[in-house]
Amino acid sequence: MVERRQAVVAHGLTQGNLLNRMTNRIRQTLELQEILAATVAEVQSFLGTDRVKIYRFQADGTGQVIAEATRPDRLPSLLGLHFPAGDIPPHARELFIKARQRSIIDIPSQRITLSRLEQPRTTGDLTVDDVHNFPLEDILSRPVDPCHVEYLTAMGVQSSLVIPIFHRQDLWGLLVSHHATPKRFSEKRLQTVQLVADHVSIAIAQSQLLTNTRAKASREAVINQISTLLHSPMPSYEVLQLVLEQAVKVNGCVAGRLYVAANEADAISQLYITGPQPESANCEQLLETTPFWQQLLVSDTQPNQQVERLAAEPTELSLTNHNQDWMAVKNSGDDQPQAVTDIYQEPLLETVLPAFSETQIRGLLVMPLRYGELPLGCLTLFRNEIDTNILWAGRFDSDERNQRVRESFEVWQELKQHQAQPWATGEIELVRSLGTHLAMAIMQNRLYRCEREQRILVEMRNRELNVARTSAEEASRLKSDFLSSTSHELRTPLASTLNYLELLKEGLYDNEEELQEYINVAYHSAENLVDIINDILDIAKIEAGRMYIQWETVNLRELLQHQERLFKPESRQKGIPLLIDCQVEYVRADLVKLRQVLTNLLANAFKFTNAGEVRLCVKRCIQTINQSPQSVIEFAVTDTGIGIDREDANSLFEPFVQADGSIKRRYGGTGLGLTICKRLVELLNGQIWLHSPGKGKGTTITFTLPDRPL
């Protein structure tokens, strides 16, 4: 009994020592490869298995063994070999993410764990949806797939232990233990190895932070070096040539070009080159004068064309449609590098490809240089094609016959020549920073040498200040008009409140239920009145961008019932029915803002309608936004009132504007209602428009809100 207890204590010390050694390794170094090498060695020694490896997933689903400890006399080494994505299919990876724990496979028994299902499903029967939808215990308790058994048997493995390694919430890789004979592990040992995998996840996070910090420090050092060079007292042409050579060197490129556009001070453009250059048949035409480069330098937007801005982060061009892609390039934002991995796959470069035929150049990176909207030139870097050599664990081929379980894991070398090399995010970001400093230096040089251009910039600034001052004076005038013209916005809820209070005062109700109804309507009218006052006073906040939206789930049927009760007195008085058709239950919006819009639109409809009806329809429909169909909630308020001329439709959304002076004299009001509606709808990420066939033919005002998930 004493001997057994001592053995247990010794075993516990071994496990504790393993975790302590791993912790010390992580503390001593942040170099990930050193930590992984120590991990596989320690785990192999601890488990006593023939091979322990760390398998890392690539972005395309393939994987590579990046660390390994093995007994070559028992199992062959797999270090450095790549494995196809199909070896660990998507549903298996999803299962690791869902389980977040180890998987133990025993080949002789062909079981992972005992299943509590009468007819358990193998992973070969599972899909990614099944992994998400089935209970975890139903999936984990299963027999091993026959395909997986054949796979491990072909590798000479009879026992396998697999533990997922996570980086943040993503499946980074696997810690795998293989044994040539069947082997069992105690629960205590499994828990210890699980803790080791958790330590590896911590090490990965720390190493990634170190890598990012080093990359950032390296970029900052390069930028500081080039910035110092740009502000040196040397002649500008010498400085720009040195900067170009440095930019080519630090980005691992083979050649580069720095093009400085002509301006009033320099009537001729300047070109600095380094490294082998493409040779055009027309020696007098520069690459930078061809459409691809010229379009990158243009920043003005052509009118009446639908364009899509590229993402704020640098991305590669995917150019398939010429017109659309030219506009995308033109409107890609200020100082955005444009990366082309393979020039022979870009249709927009087709006209200049003959100039590259005698070179090994395969990719290019263009950084437009601008100061505001003023094009200054561009920095172009060239990258040669490369040869790739990947060692696969077994035959890797697109032939469907090789999709079956491999019978041999002999190494296969995949050699590809003349391959395009993608541009890394860090490289693009570095070029972007370099371009910013280059643009500033070029512009400063121009300003120093051209006093006239400096005066133009000062005059432009003065004009902007004059416009701003005029706008401020106009805003002040509008606010003064606003303070004296609020009757239109307040009349409806105020009149409703007074009407129902008068009914209560005179005791004109038949029972307690009707009394409560009058009180509720009066209360809601007063509440609506307060909301309208607050919203009108907040119009200055809207103009200043200080109005905030409180997103919530709005019950449309209840809201429209409140609107119906609010306008019931006016409907009875004028003999105009209010017809409501609500086909949508709920919408994500701001209840107060939405109620304000509906109140203003219905008040306008009753105000300008003497006979007929007012109709409010709410439905769900599809609207094309930025050339993409999107689901929206559409609100349409239609009346049979006085209508307006088509040319006056858009102006009605401006502050204090009505169709003509006679309308204001006859009907009164501030002309602010539709303006508030427009601003509030836009704050709710919607659109609003007005349609009228003409005077005397009624009006329909429609606005849409995004159909957001509840």
Side-chain angles (χ1 to χ4, degrees):
M1 186 68 178
V2 174
E3 293 178 355
R4 182 179 179 183
R5 183 176 301 171
Q6 291 176 347
V8 172
V9 172
H11 182 60
L13 291 176
T14 302
Q15 294 172 334
N17 291 338
L18 173 61
L19 295 178
N20 288 335
R21 288 196 296 271
M22 290 302 304
T23 302
N24 291 333
R25 286 278 189 175
I26 295 175
R27 291 176 178 175
Q28 291 173 1
T29 178
L30 292 177
E31 300 298 335
L32 182 60
Q33 197 57 43
E34 296 180 15
I35 295 174
L36 297 182
T39 298
V40 294
E42 294 286 355
V43 173
Q44 186 201 26
S45 175
F46 176 72
L47 295 178
T49 52
D50 297 326
R51 176 169 59 209
V52 173
K53 65 179 182 179
I54 291 182
Y55 180 94
R56 180 173 183 178
F57 289 104
Q58 306 296 335
D60 59 357
T62 62
Q64 182 185 16
V65 177
I66 61 173
E68 182 188 64
T70 184
R71 292 176 55 186
D73 58 324
R74 299 272 290 178
L75 291 176
S77 174
L78 301 176
L79 183 61
L81 299 185
H82 291 73
F83 290 76
D87 284 13
I88 304 179
H91 67 265
R93 295 195 291 271
E94 289 293 332
L95 183 56
F96 277 119
I97 295 174
K98 184 174 182 179
R100 302 186 75 87
Q101 62 183 22
R102 55 193 172 272
S103 172
I104 308 169
I105 301 175
D106 186 280
I107 296 301
S109 64
Q110 299 190 11
R111 304 288 289 181
I112 295 181
T113 59
L114 294 177
S115 176
R116 68 179 178 84
L117 297 176
E118 295 181 0
Q119 295 180 344
R121 305 176 69 186
T122 67
T123 56
D125 301 320
L126 294 174
T127 65
V128 174
D129 291 337
D130 292 337
V131 173
H132 283 296
N133 298 330
F134 277 83
L136 182 59
E137 58 272 19
D138 290 0
I139 299 174
L140 292 182
S141 299
R142 66 185 189 277
V144 186
D145 293 322
C147 183
H148 198 181
V149 173
E150 295 178 29
Y151 185 92
L152 293 177
T153 302
M155 296 181 70
V157 175
Q158 293 292 303
S159 175
S160 174
L161 169 63
V162 182
I163 299 176
I165 301 174
F166 291 90
H167 177 46
R168 298 187 179 95
Q169 299 299 320
D170 299 324
L171 182 62
W172 182 87
L174 303 173
L175 175 61
V176 183
S177 173
H178 286 161
H179 204 59
T181 59
K183 187 175 180 63
R184 295 186 178 276
F185 305 96
S186 66
E187 183 63 25
K188 189 68 175 178
R189 283 182 175 270
L190 294 177
Q191 293 176 358
T192 302
V193 179
Q194 184 75 53
L195 291 175
V196 170
D198 294 340
H199 280 70
V200 172
S201 297
I202 296 173
I204 293 171
Q206 294 178 344
S207 177
Q208 185 66 41
L209 180 61
L210 175 64
T211 301
N212 294 340
T213 302
R214 286 175 174 173
K216 182 178 179 181
S218 177
R219 288 197 299 268
E220 290 178 352
V222 171
I223 294 300
N224 290 336
Q225 180 181 1
I226 291 181
S227 178
T228 302
L229 189 60
L230 286 171
H231 293 87
S232 66
M234 292 188 299
S236 61
Y237 64 89
E238 295 183 11
V239 171
L240 294 180
Q241 181 65 39
L242 291 175
V243 168
L244 172 62
E245 295 173 0
Q246 188 71 7
V248 170
K249 179 180 178 181
V250 298
N251 285 282
C253 297
V254 66
R257 300 164 67 95
L258 176 58
Y259 171 79
V260 181
N263 59 89
E264 293 182 0
D266 297 312
I268 302 176
S269 60
Q270 304 172 35
L271 178 65
Y272 304 87
I273 62 173
T274 182
Q277 299 291 318
E279 297 181 1
S280 174
N282 184 1
C283 299
E284 297 180 358
Q285 184 180 26
L286 298 177
L287 281 179
E288 289 75 9
T289 61
T290 58
F292 180 81
W293 276 265
Q294 284 297 305
Q295 291 289 348
L296 290 175
L297 296 177
V298 177
S299 59
D300 294 333
T301 302
Q302 297 294 330
N304 301 323
Q305 293 188 1
Q306 297 295 329
V307 299
E308 294 182 359
R309 297 182 64 87
L310 297 180
E313 300 179 358
T315 56
E316 288 191 308
L317 295 176
S318 177
L319 307 176
T320 55
N321 182 282
H322 284 222
N323 294 331
Q324 179 179 354
D325 291 325
W326 278 134
M327 297 306 300
V329 169
K330 289 173 59 177
N331 295 277
S332 58
D334 295 337
D335 303 332
Q336 290 292 334
Q338 303 299 333
V340 177
T341 297
D342 190 346
I343 61 176
Y344 296 98
Q345 301 299 320
E346 298 297 345
L348 295 179
L349 291 172
E350 185 176 357
T351 57
V352 298
L353 287 181
F356 293 87
S357 60
E358 298 299 324
T359 72
Q360 294 182 338
I361 295 173
R362 195 61 176 266
L364 59 84
L365 182 64
V366 182
M367 176 64 203
L369 305 178
R370 286 195 292 266
Y371 180 81
E373 298 296 328
L374 179 64
L376 303 178
C378 61
L379 171 65
T380 304
L381 302 180
F382 298 113
R383 174 168 284 172
N384 276 352
E385 59 192 16
I386 60 173
D387 298 334
T388 60
N389 186 6
I390 301 177
L391 298 179
W392 293 94
R395 188 70 179 170
F396 179 73
D397 198 290
S398 59
D399 192 323
E400 63 179 7
R401 293 171 296 180
N402 294 312
Q403 300 299 322
R404 297 173 293 181
V405 175
R406 297 196 292 268
E407 298 178 358
S408 171
F409 279 83
E410 295 181 357
V411 177
W412 174 59
Q413 178 177 281
E414 180 187 24
L415 178 62
K416 292 184 178 181
Q417 297 180 332
H418 314 301
Q419 297 298 300
Q421 183 179 359
W423 295 92
T425 303
E427 295 170 333
I428 296 177
E429 188 62 30
L430 176 58
V431 172
R432 179 181 181 181
S433 299
L434 291 177
T436 300
H437 285 269
L438 268 173
M440 292 176 60
I442 292 173
M443 193 62 198
Q444 286 176 357
N445 183 266
R446 286 188 180 184
L447 293 176
Y448 289 144
R449 297 190 308 150
C450 185
E451 182 181 359
R452 179 171 177 270
E453 186 170 322
Q454 186 177 16
R455 290 199 304 269
I456 292 176
L457 293 176
V458 172
E459 292 172 0
M460 291 174 59
R461 181 58 178 167
N462 289 336
R463 285 197 295 270
E464 292 176 358
L465 292 176
N466 289 334
V467 171
R469 183 178 59 199
T470 303
S471 299
E473 292 173 353
E474 179 67 12
S476 177
R477 184 188 66 80
L478 293 178
K479 288 181 180 179
S480 298
D481 292 345
F482 152 76
L483 293 175
S484 62
S485 307
T486 57
S487 61
H488 172 70
E489 307 302 328
L490 305 176
R491 181 183 296 109
T492 299
L494 182 59
S496 178
T497 303
L498 293 176
N499 287 339
Y500 277 95
L501 289 178
E502 184 176 359
L503 293 176
L504 293 173
K505 177 183 176 182
E506 299 296 333
L508 300 177
Y509 53 87
D510 297 331
N511 49 50
E512 290 296 327
E513 182 177 354
E514 190 172 17
L515 170 63
Q516 188 62 40
E517 179 185 356
Y518 288 178
I519 294 174
N520 289 339
V521 174
Y523 173 79
H524 287 301
S525 298
E527 183 181 46
N528 196 24
L529 177 62
V530 172
D531 292 338
I532 293 175
I533 294 174
N534 289 335
D535 286 343
I536 294 177
L537 294 178
D538 283 341
I539 192 170
K541 290 185 178 180
I542 298 177
E543 297 290 346
R546 298 174 57 190
M547 176 67 72
Y548 303 104
I549 297 298
Q550 184 67 40
W551 294 103
E552 57 185 308
T553 300
V554 178
N555 188 320
L556 286 177
R557 296 191 184 278
E558 291 183 359
L559 174 61
L560 298 187
Q561 288 175 359
H562 290 158
Q563 294 293 313
E564 185 178 19
R565 288 194 295 268
L566 178 65
F567 286 94
K568 182 184 264 187
E570 191 163 356
S571 176
R572 289 177 176 175
Q573 179 182 357
K574 301 186 72 171
I576 300 173
L578 172 58
L579 306 178
I580 297 179
D581 178 15
C582 182
Q583 304 175 18
V584 182
E585 291 284 345
Y586 300 97
V587 66
R588 288 288 294 174
D590 187 312
L591 174 60
V592 175
K593 306 298 186 299
L594 181 56
R595 184 169 57 196
Q596 169 76 26
V597 172
L598 291 175
T599 301
N600 282 353
L601 296 182
L602 290 174
N604 269 350
F606 277 101
K607 176 181 178 180
F608 296 110
T609 302
N610 296 320
E613 65 182 21
V614 174
R615 183 181 298 272
L616 171 58
C617 179
V618 182
K619 63 182 180 180
R620 182 176 280 105
C621 62
I622 301 299
Q623 183 180 22
T624 300
I625 301 176
N626 294 330
Q627 298 182 350
S628 174
Q630 297 182 19
S631 178
V632 296
I633 307 298
E634 181 182 280
F635 299 75
V637 177
T638 303
D639 64 60
T640 57
I642 61 175
I644 60 171
D645 290 331
R646 295 183 179 181
E647 56 269 19
D648 295 331
N650 292 332
S651 64
L652 290 183
F653 288 103
E654 297 299 325
F656 312 107
V657 173
Q658 292 185 344
D660 57 52
S662 64
I663 294 295
K664 187 168 184 178
R665 290 190 300 270
R666 179 179 177 184
Y667 293 95
T670 64
L672 195 59
L674 290 182
T675 302
I676 295 177
C677 292
K678 181 177 184 295
R679 305 297 170 82
L680 293 179
V681 168
E682 290 174 348
L683 282 175
L684 294 172
N685 299 325
Q687 298 179 354
I688 186 170
W689 63 90
L690 181 149
H691 173 72
S692 177
K695 286 189 176 181
K697 298 181 180 181
T699 304
T700 297
I701 299 180
T702 306
F703 70 92
T704 60
L705 298 180
D707 189 6
R708 301 176 182 270
L710 302 179

